[in-house]
């Protein structure tokens, strides 16, 4: 094996600059003549704007401009768009209310954008922002997910009666009903998937520069997908034509989904810098991140499973009400629909599945993809329901899973809900996880815990997710406005080093290392001679960005394809130089050699020859630089079993996660250390959702959890050391044999934790986040019932 | 932050004078509450009088069976002090668990009690240990010092100079942390001093206070047997998204029992 190639835990190349404080984030970038912007935001969840008086603000020291929705409309900029259309049950497209980047007549959530104040310094802009006098007529707010569509609720958008964005039934309703009618047993569960604030470490920021000489706008943004930003801002928001707009996502301090979307601030900063002909910088603070980053999850569901007398699943029925917030964020509509309902089969061969999703508007921040996006919601529902089924059937949770797993020989497996799973060996992951977790030793550990006054519980979660988003044809059929291929360019310089341009974007994932390893492995170039470049529309040909664990599974393959082209071209050049037939040239470990001889030249020499083609094969172009686009034929389907063990203090309700084992199938691992880091982070995120994170608004739509004083994030001491292993299978649809690993932990963990707590307490269900008080109350109730 | 005048002073007298001259001045100790409040534009003092350079306000000593801690002594210094660890180990542990390292290296005892956040830790110890707060003007007993949520007996130009803690025979602090802020949802400090057992409660209500019903149940002994039967006034408890009043009342008893056990 190449020591820095596929399978090696190479130290992250990018860490050098991060560890010495030389990362280059949007806020680190300052340009001559820069001004500073602050947004005036709505303090009300729902209000009419009767007037905006900017005169005091305009007169304040240092103020350059104060711009409102009227200015934006006059220039024909915006509105913001949602890129995926879901068809409602009446055959009409989902209801899409206008989403102006600066409010026009109405605000719809606390934090909604009303005006931008631009001044010489940030402090001046903040001072002046307080002087913008907005005359509000406060309206009653809709906040609660489950009652948002009830009659009598205030109406948020005229185009969306009853605050409904869409009703989306999916599956074989009649078949499911018949199966339920004939079932031996039906298990049922009501559950909530708690709303989360996504919380990347770096708050969002934007720096816009306009060059009147070239009529070009350059926008530095906290983005996970610079080209998608450019495309949407150009094609749909009228900011500037694509060739006159450059979007740069420099170092970005985490995204977790929240930096996929095109936000009001980004469009407004881009527009304002041209309007005032000076650079404009906006750097959001943490409070703004809580208020106005897209949030995640927020479902209220009922799930039912019909079973035969052996606990075999016959049919599943799901009803979900999903909160989309005040407006449709860029990809919001697809999250509780395609990314959710298409994963409801889980790891099981349930033949019939029917779901109804009602997506609703509320006077809360827009909700969109957050690490996992739809799949955590689906997995939580399925894996909680399966535990309920086990309890109702008197089966061990592991046993009921085993009885219903999709058999190993059934892959590729067509589920009843669109997806065709590529590969999997679910029993293998379960077995390995049970061994890792010492499942059979659990009862002894529980006894021992009891002697210390603790309730110990164990919980399983066997998840599957759809990654590597996605085949363009598939997403196009579903109403996506874009294709979801990925592109790459691999360029040798004449001196033999390599620049790899990828359309994906790294904001913590370590692409600069993983992708370099791919190239190092395939082309035999020393890893230190390879540079991975991403995040700048002026450098990379095109790209769809990073989300949905797609970067390696789609973007990595594009890189490999570009390398294939280099090798093919290199063979021609080497054949000419070595005076052999092209068909006799073999390529291995960076060397082109003539089969059966010791005649060879390495790839750096070939590259040099390509740029200095003094003696060169006829008909071959000079240069050694290839690009490739890759559009997968299918999603990839990572899967695995996670097992969580908790101890509950019944006197306080405090839950301690004491043991956590994860066995995942990510296909082939390129850099096991980086993968392990992704798994750790994912599990921490999932444990955070299960135990700590609950975004909450009061009845007037004020965000209560608006800072870290009230919004609890997981910290190291909330987590045990994880036991991690893999049970890989080989996905036939992916040329690299990889599946994706960035979201798995956040998907697998929540049900494992809640199953463990329910097990510890001996209760049927407990909603997330399982805060101490919630658990204490459940423990009290359980004790009362059993005594 | 709004504009303000920054004043650095070298003595308590100079600080008092600066305060008297200021239109709407505020003292600053570690700034761990003051500065975030100003950054959020919730406070806008005309003058910020920095006590950081006042040498007479720092230091730890044991005199006449009392541990004396200067107002500007940081939480980290208290936690690391051999004197405190020897004299009142529970106090060192309490200080060592406040906030995070950055907060502990800036935040001070004087700032903490002068601020009197209803969820702060020190007030429980000050009360249970029967400490005396020494100020630039007078000595104030613990029970008279904390008067209400974010309110104390201090006058505007009065500076806490030190706190004097009588040495206990046994003491322990039990904190039930808010999972987000890690301040106390409920904190109970139990101390046996001179044959008397006192209970200081923080977090539970608007004001740090003596748990008189709990003390009655203990009857001067470090025996938690009677605590379960105590009825606490639920209606006086704080209630928020992290803990209802009923749950807080329950936690006060659980933390009391645990603190009593830890004293043994
Ligand atoms: C992230 C974070 C976590 C925290 N966690 C905890 C925790 O777990 N438990 C806890 O108890 N506390 C916690 N704190 C609070 C912290 O411990 C400090 O004690 C508190 O901020 C006040 O101390 P300070 O020295 O920073 O005072 P400052 O912020 O400087 O001042 C606070 C107030 O006290 C006044 N003041 C200060 N010193 C004096 C004096 N000598 N005389 C008169 N008035 C004075 C000031 O005028 C001001 O009104 C936390 C703080 C932060 C930022």
């Amino acid at each position: 094996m190449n020591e820095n190639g596929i399978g090696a835990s190479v130290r992250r190349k990018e860490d050098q600059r991060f560890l010495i404080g030389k990362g280059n984030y949007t806020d680190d970038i300052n340009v001559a003549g820069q001004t500073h912007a602050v947004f005036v935001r709505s303090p009300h969840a729902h209000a009419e704007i009767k007037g905006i008086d900017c005169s005091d603000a305009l007169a304040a020291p240092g103020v350059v401009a104060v711009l409102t929705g009227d200015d934006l409309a006059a220039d024909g900029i915006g509105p913001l768009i949602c890129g995926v259309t879901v068809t409602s049950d009446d055959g009409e497209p989902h209801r899409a209310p206008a989403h102006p980047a600066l409010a026009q007549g109405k605000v719809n959530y606390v934090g909604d954008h009303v005006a931008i104040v631009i001044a010489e310094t940030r402090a001046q802009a903040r001072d002046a922002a307080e002087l913008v006098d907005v005359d509000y007529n406060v309206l009653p707010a809709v906040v609660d997910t489950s009652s948002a569509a009830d009659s009598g609720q205030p109406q948020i958008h005229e185009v969306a009666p009853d605050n409904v964005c869409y009703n989306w039934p999916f599956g074989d309703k009649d078949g499911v009903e018949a199966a339920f009618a004939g079932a031996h047993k039906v298990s049922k569960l009501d559950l909530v998937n708690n709303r989360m604030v996504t919380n990347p470490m770096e708050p969002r920021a934007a720096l816009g520069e306009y060059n009147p000489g070239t009529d070009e706008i350059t926008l530095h943004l906290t983005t996970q997908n610079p080209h998608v930003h450019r495309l949407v801002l150009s094609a749909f928001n009228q900011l500037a034509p694509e060739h006159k707009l450059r979007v740069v996502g420099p170092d970005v301090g985490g995204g977790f989904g929240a930096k996929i979307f095109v936000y009001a601030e980004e469009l407004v900063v881009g527009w304002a810098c041209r309007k005032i002909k000076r650079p404009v910088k906006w750097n959001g603070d943490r409070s703004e991140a809580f208020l106005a980053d897209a949030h995640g999850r927020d479902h209220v569901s009922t799930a039912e499973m019909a079973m035969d007398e052996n606990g075999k699943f016959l049919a599943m029925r799901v009803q979900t009400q999903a909160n989309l917030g005040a407006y449709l964020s860029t990809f919001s509509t697809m999250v509780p629909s395609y990314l959710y309902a298409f994963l409801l089969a889980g790891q099981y061969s349930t033949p019939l599945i029917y779901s109804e999703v009602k997506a609703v508007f509320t006077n809360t921040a827009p909700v969109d993809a957050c690490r996992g996006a739809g799949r955590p919601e689906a997995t939580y529902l399925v894996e909680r329901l399966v535990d309920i089924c086990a309890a109702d059937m008197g089966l061990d949770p592991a046993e009921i899973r085993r009885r219903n797993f999709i058999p190993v020989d059934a892959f590729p497996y067509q589920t009843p809900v669109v997806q065709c799973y590529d590969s999997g060996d679910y029993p293998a992951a379960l077995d390995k996880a049970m061994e890792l977790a010492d499942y059979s030793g659990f009862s002894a550990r529980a006894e021992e815990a009891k002697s210390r006054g603790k309730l110990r519980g164990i919980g399983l979660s066997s998840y599957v997710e759809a990654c590597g988003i996605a085949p363009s044809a598939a997403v196009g059929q579903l109403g996506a406005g874009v294709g979801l291929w990925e592109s790459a360019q691999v360029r040798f310089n004449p001196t033999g080093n390599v620049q790899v341009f990828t359309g994906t974007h790294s904001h913590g994932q370590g692409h600069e290392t993983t992708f370099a390893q791919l190239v190092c492995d395939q082309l035999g170039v020393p890893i230190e001679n390879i540079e991975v470049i991403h995040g700048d529309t002026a450098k990379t040909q095109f790209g769809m960005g990073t989300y949905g664990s797609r970067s390696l599974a789609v973007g990595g393959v594009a890189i490999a394809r570009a390398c294939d082209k280099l090798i093919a071209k290199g063979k021609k050049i080497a054949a000419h130089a070595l005076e052999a037939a092209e068909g006799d040239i073999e390529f291995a470990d960076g060397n082109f050699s003539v089969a059966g001889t010791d005649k060879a030249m390495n790839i750096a020499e070939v590259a040099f020859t390509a740029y200095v083609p003094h003696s060169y094969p006829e008909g071959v172009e000079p240069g050694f630089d290839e690009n490739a686009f890759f559009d997968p034929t299918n999603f990839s389907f990572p899967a695995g079993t996670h097992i969580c063990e908790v101890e509950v203090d019944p006197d306080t309700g405090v839950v301690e996660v004491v043991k956590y084992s994860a066995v995942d199938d990510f296909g082939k691992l390129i850099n096991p250390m980086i993968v392990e880091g992704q798994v750790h982070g994912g599990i921490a995120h999932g444990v955070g959702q299960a135990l700590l994170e609950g975004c909450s608004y009061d009845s007037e739509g004020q965000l209560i959890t608006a800072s870290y004083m009230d919004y609890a994030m997981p910290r190291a001491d909330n987590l045990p050391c994880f036991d991690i292993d893999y049970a890989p299978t080989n996905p036939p649809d992916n040329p690299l044999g990889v599946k994706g690993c960035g979201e798995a932990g956040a998907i697998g963990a929540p049900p494992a934790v809640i199953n463990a707590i329910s097990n510890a307490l001996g209760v049927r269900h407990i909603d997330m986040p399982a805060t101490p008080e919630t658990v204490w109350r459940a423990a009290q109730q359980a004790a009362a019932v059993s005594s | 932050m709004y504009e303000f005048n920054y004043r650095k002073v070298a003595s308590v007298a100079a600080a008092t004078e600066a305060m008297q001259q200021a239109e709407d001045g505020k003292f600053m100790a570690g700034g761990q509450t003051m500065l975030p409040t100003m950054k959020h534009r919730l406070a806008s003092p005309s003058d910020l009088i920095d006590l950081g350079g006042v040498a007479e306000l720092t230091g730890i000593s044991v005199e006449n069976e009392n541990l004396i801690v200067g107002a500007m002594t940081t939480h980290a210094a208290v936690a690391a002090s051999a004197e405190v660890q020897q004299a009142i180990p529970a106090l060192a542990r309490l200080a060592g668990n406040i906030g995070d390292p950055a907060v502990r290296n800036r935040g001070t005892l004087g700032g903490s009690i002068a601020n009197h956040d209803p969820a702060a830790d020190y007030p429980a110890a000050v009360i249970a240990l029967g400490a005396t707060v020494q100020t630039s003007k007078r000595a104030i007993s613990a029970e008279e010092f904390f008067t209400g949520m974010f309110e104390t007996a201090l006058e505007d130009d009065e500076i806490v100079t030190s706190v004097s803690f009588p040495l206990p025979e046994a003491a322990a602090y039990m904190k039930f942390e808010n999972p987000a802020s890690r301040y106390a949802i409920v904190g109970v400090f139990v101390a046996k001093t001179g044959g008397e057992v006192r209970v200081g409660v923080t977090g539970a209500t608007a004001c740090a206070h003596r748990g008189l019903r709990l003390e009655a149940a203990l009857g001067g002994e470090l025996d938690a047997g009677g605590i379960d039967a105590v009825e606490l006034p639920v209606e006086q408890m704080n209630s928020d998204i992290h803990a209802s009043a009923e749950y807080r009342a329950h936690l006060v008893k659980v933390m009391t029992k645990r603190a009593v056990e830890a004293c043994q």
Side-chain angles (χ1 to χ4, degrees), chain A residues 14-242:
Chain A
E14 46 271 79
D15 284 347
Q16 174 68 16
R17 69 174 185 276
F18 295 136
L19 292 176
I20 66 169
K22 293 294 177 191
N24 189 35
Y25 298 88
T26 300
D27 190 39
D28 294 323
I29 300 165
N30 293 296
V31 293
Q34 165 180 302
T35 62
H36 297 264
V38 163
F39 283 84
V40 176
R41 294 176 185 277
S42 170
H44 305 294
H46 197 194
E48 276 165 24
I49 298 179
K50 296 202 296 186
I52 304 177
D53 181 354
C54 302
S55 50
D56 287 352
L58 277 165
V63 170
V64 177
V66 180
L67 303 169
T68 67
D70 287 346
D71 301 303
L72 198 70
D75 285 359
I77 300 292
L80 301 173
I81 58 132
C82 173
V84 181
T85 304
V86 172
T87 303
S88 198
D89 60 351
D90 56 8
E92 297 290 319
H94 68 247
R95 310 301 187 260
H99 188 179
L102 292 173
Q104 278 155 18
K106 198 160 174 266
V107 285
N108 290 307
Y109 66 102
V110 173
D112 203 352
H113 316 72
V114 177
I116 181 173
V117 176
I118 302 169
E120 298 295 341
T121 71
R122 192 160 178 228
Q124 288 172 332
R126 277 191 91 158
D127 285 345
E130 288 182 0
L131 301 175
V132 174
D133 187 9
V134 187
D135 186 5
Y136 292 107
N137 175 30
V138 179
L139 304 169
V142 184
V143 178
D144 173 53
T145 308
S146 56
S147 62
D150 290 358
S151 63
Q153 285 281 17
Q155 174 83 30
I156 303 173
H157 301 290
E158 247 171 55
V159 299
D162 296 327
N163 300 319
V164 174
C165 176
Y166 57 75
N167 277 307
W168 188 69
F170 176 71
D172 178 357
K173 186 177 187 189
D174 295 342
V176 165
E177 256 158 35
F180 269 81
H184 167 76
K185 184 142 213 118
V186 170
S187 292
K188 185 173 175 189
L189 178 67
D190 295 324
L191 76 176
V192 171
N193 203 290
N194 46 322
R195 184 180 180 111
M196 296 175 85
V197 181
T198 303
N199 276 312
M201 197 180 287
E202 179 207 20
R204 288 189 293 112
L207 168 63
E209 292 169 80
Y210 174 66
N211 181 339
T214 58
D215 196 27
E216 244 181 351
I217 294 174
T218 300
L219 260 181
H220 281 83
L221 297 179
T222 45
T223 171
Q224 301 180 208
N225 29 243
H227 284 92
V228 173
H229 263 89
R230 189 181 70 166
L231 178 64
V232 172
L233 289 166
S234 288
F236 301 101
N237 304 150
Q238 294 78 44
L239 178 58
E242 263 183 299

Side-chain angles (χ1 to χ4, degrees), chain A residues 185 187 307 313 384-398 400-401 758-759 762-765:
Chain A
K185 184 142 213 118
S187 292
M307 289 174 285
F313 303 155
R384 278 300 297 131
L385 181 61
V386 166
D387 259 35
I388 298 290
C389 292
D392 289 350
M393 294 299 296
L395 291 171
D396 184 274
I400 198 161
R401 284 175 170 79
S758 307
N759 177 251
V763 300
R764 203 168 166 80
H765 181 61

Side-chain angles (χ1 to χ4, degrees), chain B residues 29 43 91 124 129:
Chain B
L91 193 66
L129 290 162

Side-chain angles (χ1 to χ4, degrees), chain A residues 571-593:
Chain A
K571 282 184 176 169
K572 290 190 171 57
I573 298 166
H576 179 82
L578 299 172
E579 297 174 341
E582 190 188 329
D584 288 339
I585 302 291
E586 290 173 344
F587 181 74
D589 300 329
N591 287 309
F592 292 93
S593 57

